[in-house]
């Protein structure tokens, strides 16, 4: 049985990022789009931690991953607040039905 190399981490992260991108593009409501963005951010975190693991002299990858998690938490908080305000005003969370925001 062989050891897990960095290529395995990169392949899993690429699959995770591709899945997140597909979800963010194809979903028709804001919550699904947010879930796709979170999957993409988790793929980036996986890459950062994998690179940090194979460069044991530096911990910068893990610190960047922690920073990405903090930014993602703030992004979700702000985005969900916006979604709640949009739902309160338009009574829908379907992005295609929000034509007043295009003006």
């Amino acid at each position: 049985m062989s050891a897990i190399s960095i290529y395995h981490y990169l392949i899993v992260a690429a699959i995770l990022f591709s899945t997140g991108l597909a979800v963010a593009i194809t979903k028709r409501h804001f919550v699904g789009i947010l879930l796709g963005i979170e999957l993409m951010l988790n793929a980036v975190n996986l890459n950062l931690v994998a690179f940090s693991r194979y460069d044991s002299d530096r911990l910068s990858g893990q610190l960047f991953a922690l920073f990405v998690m903090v930014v993602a938490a703030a992004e979700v908080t702000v985005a969900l607040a916006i979604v709640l305000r949009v739902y309160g005003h338009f009574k829908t969370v379907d992005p295609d039905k929000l034509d007043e925001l295009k003006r």
Side-chain angles (χ1 to χ4, degrees):
M1 190 179 228
S2 64
I4 297 176
S5 68
I6 195 166
Y7 299 111
H8 294 98
Y9 288 110
L10 296 179
I11 289 171
V12 170
I15 291 169
L16 192 61
F17 189 86
S18 301
T19 304
L21 184 64
V23 167
I25 290 174
T26 59
K27 289 297 178 182
R28 292 290 182 201
H29 49 85
F30 287 118
V31 176
I33 294 169
L34 288 175
L35 286 173
I37 292 171
E38 289 299 319
L39 280 174
M40 290 187 285
L41 288 173
N42 285 330
V44 171
N45 279 342
L46 182 61
N47 279 335
L48 289 171
V49 171
F51 286 132
S52 178
R53 172 155 171 21
Y54 286 96
D55 185 17
S56 60
D57 295 336
R58 299 185 183 138
L59 293 176
S60 59
Q62 293 176 3
L63 293 175
F64 278 126
L66 183 63
F67 180 72
V68 170
M69 284 187 244
V70 169
V71 169
E75 174 252 334
V76 167
T77 304
V78 171
L80 286 177
I82 291 171
V83 168
L84 289 174
R85 293 294 295 167
V86 166
Y87 181 76
H89 186 267
F90 294 104
K91 302 297 184 222
T92 184
V93 290
D94 187 6
D96 293 334
K97 295 180 181 177
L98 303 176
D99 59 351
E100 289 184 24
L101 294 176
K102 294 179 183 176
R103 294 182 194 171

